[in-house]
Amino acid sequence: LLLSVRKDIGLGILTVFYFPDVVEPQLADASSRLSFLQAGYAYSNPLWFDGEGEEHGAAKQWGARFEQTIGDADISIHYVDHYDRQQPVYFDAGLDAQGNYNLRPLYLKNRNFGLTYVQVFDALILKVEHNYKDFYTSENKLIQFADTLSLGANYGIPKSHHQLAAGIEYSIYH
């Protein structure tokens, strides 16, 4: 579910988004050819960690984007505060009733700040995108949270990082 409000501001457009719920991902089990798990491993129910020591089933996710066209260029800046479903932290959750080694995914909140620039030069289009992904959960808070739930070792806490993409597109008409 996505709620959005759009407002013209000068020559640009401001859009504010609100995501009132988190959709639980469907992770493939070890018998699937799409799974990263080996036989004898299973996923347990995921957790959603807000970065402050709380686990939430309901989300407080939102974002905003400002877009503007200047001449032949489209410029957009965005901010999103959400649970990142692409980079969970996996914790050892012990053995389940079938004797499978359980991994429990923990989804962290993060903030994304980004900029998109698209410039048109006749049939040539130049595109540049930048995004900064800020995992504002401290490692200590995450470990304390896991200890309160009696979770074991974790496997890879994501670090805040930049992402940059650039591309050139040339249209051929025939």
Side-chain angles (χ1 to χ4, degrees):
L1 180 63
L2 166 71
L3 305 172
S4 66
V5 176
R6 190 175 160 141
K7 173 80 174 146
D8 292 341
I9 298 179
L11 298 174
I13 300 169
L14 176 66
T15 308
V16 177
F17 306 96
Y18 177 67
F19 316 101
D21 198 13
V22 174
V23 177
E24 193 171 304
Q26 301 297 313
L27 301 171
D29 65 15
S31 65
S32 170
R33 65 183 178 86
L34 301 175
S35 177
F36 294 110
L37 293 178
Q38 300 174 13
Y41 286 80
Y43 291 116
S44 61
N45 293 335
L47 295 169
W48 308 91
F49 184 62
D50 70 356
E52 295 300 323
E54 297 294 323
E55 192 253 326
H56 292 283
K60 296 176 187 171
Q61 304 178 106
W62 68 280
R65 178 179 61 219
F66 181 74
E67 306 167 86
Q68 185 165 353
T69 300
I70 301 172
D72 291 335
D74 291 333
I75 300 169
S76 171
I77 58 173
H78 70 266
Y79 171 83
V80 182
D81 189 323
H82 70 111
Y83 285 97
D84 186 354
R85 295 180 0 158
Q86 295 179 347
Q87 290 183 280
V89 176
Y90 291 98
F91 283 90
D92 174 0
L95 296 174
D96 65 12
Q98 290 79 31
N100 290 318
Y101 186 70
N102 258 333
L103 294 176
R104 190 160 194 184
L106 179 70
Y107 296 94
L108 306 175
K109 279 199 90 171
N110 73 45
R111 297 180 279 234
N112 290 352
F113 306 89
L115 170 71
T116 302
Y117 177 81
V118 179
Q119 178 72 50
V120 177
F121 302 99
D122 196 30
L124 182 72
I125 301 173
L126 172 68
K127 301 176 181 182
V128 179
E129 296 180 3
H130 174 265
N131 187 60
Y132 178 67
K133 189 176 278 195
D134 177 25
F135 288 97
Y136 55 92
T137 300
S138 76
E139 191 167 347
N140 290 339
K141 284 187 180 180
L142 184 59
I143 291 169
Q144 287 171 0
F145 176 70
D147 286 346
T148 63
L149 297 173
S150 300
L151 296 174
N154 72 67
Y155 304 98
I157 295 174
K159 304 290 184 204
S160 299
H161 59 277
H162 293 271
Q163 297 168 309
L164 180 66
I168 297 174
E169 181 179 319
Y170 186 77
S171 299
I172 300 174
Y173 301 100
H174 51 104

